[in-house]
Amino acid sequence: MMRTLWLSLLLVFALGVSADERPGKAAIASAHYLATEAGHEVLAAGGNAFDAAIAVSAALAVVEQTSSGIGGGGFWLLHRAEDGFEVMVDGREQAPAAATRDMYLNADGTVNRELATTGPLAAGIPGEIAALAHIADNYGRLPLADSLAPAIRIAREGFPVYEKFHTMLGWSQQHIARWPAAREAFLLDGEVPPLGHVIKLPDLARVLERVAEGGAEVFYEGEIAQQLVDGVRAEGGIWTMEDMAAYTVVEREPIRTRYQGYELVTAAPPSSGGVAIAEMLNILDPWPLDSLSTPQRTHLIVEAMRRAYRDRAIYLGDPDFTEVPVARLTSRFYADGLRAGINPRAATPSMMLPGNDLPWESDDTTHFSVIDADGNIVSATLTVNLSFGNRFMVPGTGFVLNNEMDDFSAKEGEPNAFGLIGFKANAIEPRKRPLSSMTPTIIKGDDRIGVLGTPGGSRIITMVLLGILDFMDGQQPEHWVALPRFHHQYVPDRISAEPDAFTPEEVAALEAMGHTVEVRKGRWGNMHGVLWNRLTGEVSAGSDPRSDAGRAIVR
Ligand code: GLY
């Protein structure tokens, strides 16, 4: 054992990382045990991490429609082992061509929250199927049909209602009950079914089967496109067949930054996550965080969060429509300037920073992490936005549509459902993609490679930051995902903290520095991470204990 370890160390330090170095085992961590198993099933059938990611995404689209699905979209961050190629597959939803800047405004200029979040008008054109087909065609080893097979089986055979699903269905019950197809799919005589009740989705199985047979074209140009457009328009939506046909996956160069000797590869715009992570890590870099007291460390991290979230509000949007100053925001010189404005002993009131304010967004969405035995990696965060998206289901399809249009700013400076505001960079425009916080991330070092991400709306970015810092402290994925969390997002100007994040004395110390600390009753996030220790060869994985259904399996 010791001999093997020394040999590995010698290999890494003397030769660098050899091209044929491989983990030898695969790890998958996702928000549902059936999805994790679906990924491993596809690996066992000869697939690689990219095929497994398709299987996990599709299975989550069946068993976790609270959070993601083929009526939504996401970002799949890929690392290919053989040549180190990395890309973010952007399958984010796109506004239909008839969308207008003021489409959610009432006659008196106020935002119609109901319209922006519920029913067909709230939905952008879904990107998930296009992204899965793109990944299969360009990076997978197996045909799309093979990777979709486990999801089709689960949709047909059904899955038992689990606690998280039960709770979230309760939150959405009234809205779901409005739409006959969604009511029939998820409710039992109009009520939330009990734990363990088996939900079968035969319509969804048929849709996935049609995609497996005919490819993404049937979804975007064929019979399913027609069914979706007809169903959406029948209830007041504005989708057209041209919108469906115009949907395209975009391959984006990931955001890259360095911290403490590690390279971070993370989400590019239209996610705000990677830019914010780079900005926060650049601010924090010179400080010896691990030698500071908890209040002092928290204070500095919070001041970095505050500044990054201010910039998110002002500068971030779809890069195909608005010029996002990525190079400036992620530069070390810019961070030096921001750091210089931080008082090490006192909070900077957010209102004293130039700019505009930014509250928070949804808790839904899903993340999974995959590494295969060859070292191919996928870090993917997917979403339908709010719980069960717009809660609307086109009859005969078996899946809810997203309400991602609410991630745009419906009106400059006006908060969305969760208090999130934005400005011109994120205004609604035809065919534009709404700004996201999803932050799938890969951390690469000579000794360890980590993969992580989480749902949690605007809190995604701060959770990923805390996970990265925990990785830097040498912790295992089980630790990153369970870590008590705190969050600051510029406005409201307060630290929100999970119940066990701080002791009463630590809260008092933060308050003495001028921070407002809100210790919340609830917890947030659902992080799933994997780790390959290149020195020991160990592959490990962790699923957030905050959910009952998540599962991390190394095989
Ligand atoms: N809908 C949540 C996000 O994309 O950030």
Side-chain angles (χ1 to χ4, degrees), residues 429-449:
E429 291 180 62
R431 304 261 156 89
K432 189 175 177 181
R433 296 173 191 224
L435 182 61
S436 173
S437 299
M438 295 188 289
T439 315
T441 296
I442 302 170
I443 314 168
K444 299 189 303 180
D446 288 342
D447 59 345
R448 293 175 303 146
I449 293 189

Side-chain angles (χ1 to χ4, degrees), residues 255-306:
I255 298 289
R256 294 173 195 278
T257 193
R258 292 197 71 82
Y259 182 75
Q260 312 275 312
Y262 288 86
E263 185 188 6
L264 283 102
V265 184
T266 182
S271 170
S272 54
V275 169
I277 289 287
E279 195 174 318
M280 291 186 289
L281 291 176
N282 285 341
I283 293 172
L284 295 171
D285 203 22
W287 286 320
L289 291 180
D290 48 3
S291 66
L292 301 177
S293 68
T294 298
Q296 191 61 48
R297 181 180 198 267
T298 306
H299 166 66
L300 296 177
I301 294 172
V302 161
E303 291 305 318
M305 290 174 175
R306 184 198 307 280

Side-chain angles (χ1 to χ4, degrees), residues 211-293:
V211 172
E213 288 158 9
E217 288 74 23
V218 295
F219 192 90
Y220 290 96
E221 295 176 49
E223 66 196 80
I224 298 167
Q226 194 65 61
Q227 191 177 7
L228 290 170
V229 168
D230 291 347
V232 160
R233 294 186 78 86
E235 298 294 346
I238 55 175
W239 290 12
T240 63
M241 286 297 279
E242 290 71 37
D243 290 327
M244 293 297 289
Y247 186 83
T248 42
V249 168
V250 185
E251 289 210 339
R252 312 244 183 222
E253 174 60 24
I255 298 289
R256 294 173 195 278
T257 193
R258 292 197 71 82
Y259 182 75
Q260 312 275 312
Y262 288 86
E263 185 188 6
L264 283 102
V265 184
T266 182
S271 170
S272 54
V275 169
I277 289 287
E279 195 174 318
M280 291 186 289
L281 291 176
N282 285 341
I283 293 172
L284 295 171
D285 203 22
W287 286 320
L289 291 180
D290 48 3
S291 66
L292 301 177
S293 68

Side-chain angles (χ1 to χ4, degrees), residues 497-516:
E498 288 191 325
D500 47 354
F502 305 121
T503 63
E505 294 73 27
E506 287 163 352
V507 170
L510 285 164
E511 285 173 346
M513 284 189 253
H515 293 285
T516 300

Side-chain angles (χ1 to χ4, degrees), residues 75 92-93 270-272 312 361-362 364-365 382-386 403-404 406-407 420 434-439 456-458 460:
F75 301 130
R92 182 73 165 160
E93 296 86 338
S271 170
S272 54
R312 180 201 192 273
E361 63 185 70
S362 144
D364 312 304
T365 301
L382 324 177
T383 190
V384 285
N385 197 23
L386 310 187
N403 55 359
E404 224 66 66
D406 195 50
D407 272 352
L420 185 63
L435 182 61
S436 173
S437 299
M438 295 188 289
T439 315
S458 64
I460 289 173

Side-chain angles (χ1 to χ4, degrees), residues 146-347:
D146 291 13
S147 302
L148 293 180
I152 295 170
R153 188 184 65 232
I154 298 166
R156 189 152 283 130
E157 292 175 358
F159 63 94
V161 170
Y162 50 99
E163 214 171 290
K164 184 162 184 270
F165 186 90
H166 188 268
T167 306
M168 291 171 87
L169 190 50
W171 295 342
S172 308
Q173 181 183 359
Q174 281 185 341
H175 286 295
I176 283 180
R178 268 178 61 193
W179 309 106
R183 186 172 58 224
E184 183 160 336
F186 297 122
L187 300 179
L188 198 58
D189 300 325
E191 298 300 327
V192 176
L195 290 176
H197 169 82
V198 174
I199 292 189
K200 297 182 183 178
L201 297 167
D203 288 338
L204 179 53
R206 269 191 297 276
V207 168
L208 288 170
E209 240 161 25
R210 291 293 299 113
V211 172
E213 288 158 9
E217 288 74 23
V218 295
F219 192 90
Y220 290 96
E221 295 176 49
E223 66 196 80
I224 298 167
Q226 194 65 61
Q227 191 177 7
L228 290 170
V229 168
D230 291 347
V232 160
R233 294 186 78 86
E235 298 294 346
I238 55 175
W239 290 12
T240 63
M241 286 297 279
E242 290 71 37
D243 290 327
M244 293 297 289
Y247 186 83
T248 42
V249 168
V250 185
E251 289 210 339
R252 312 244 183 222
E253 174 60 24
I255 298 289
R256 294 173 195 278
T257 193
R258 292 197 71 82
Y259 182 75
Q260 312 275 312
Y262 288 86
E263 185 188 6
L264 283 102
V265 184
T266 182
S271 170
S272 54
V275 169
I277 289 287
E279 195 174 318
M280 291 186 289
L281 291 176
N282 285 341
I283 293 172
L284 295 171
D285 203 22
W287 286 320
L289 291 180
D290 48 3
S291 66
L292 301 177
S293 68
T294 298
Q296 191 61 48
R297 181 180 198 267
T298 306
H299 166 66
L300 296 177
I301 294 172
V302 161
E303 291 305 318
M305 290 174 175
R306 184 198 307 280
R307 284 156 177 81
Y309 274 77
R310 184 201 67 136
D311 287 347
R312 180 201 192 273
I314 298 169
Y315 298 114
L316 273 292
D318 182 346
D320 297 337
F321 284 74
T322 185
E323 204 173 318
V324 182
V326 172
R328 174 155 66 89
L329 296 176
T330 59
S331 102
R332 292 193 169 259
F333 295 114
Y334 183 69
D336 289 345
L338 294 177
R339 192 184 317 106
I342 295 176
N343 181 331
R345 280 172 296 279

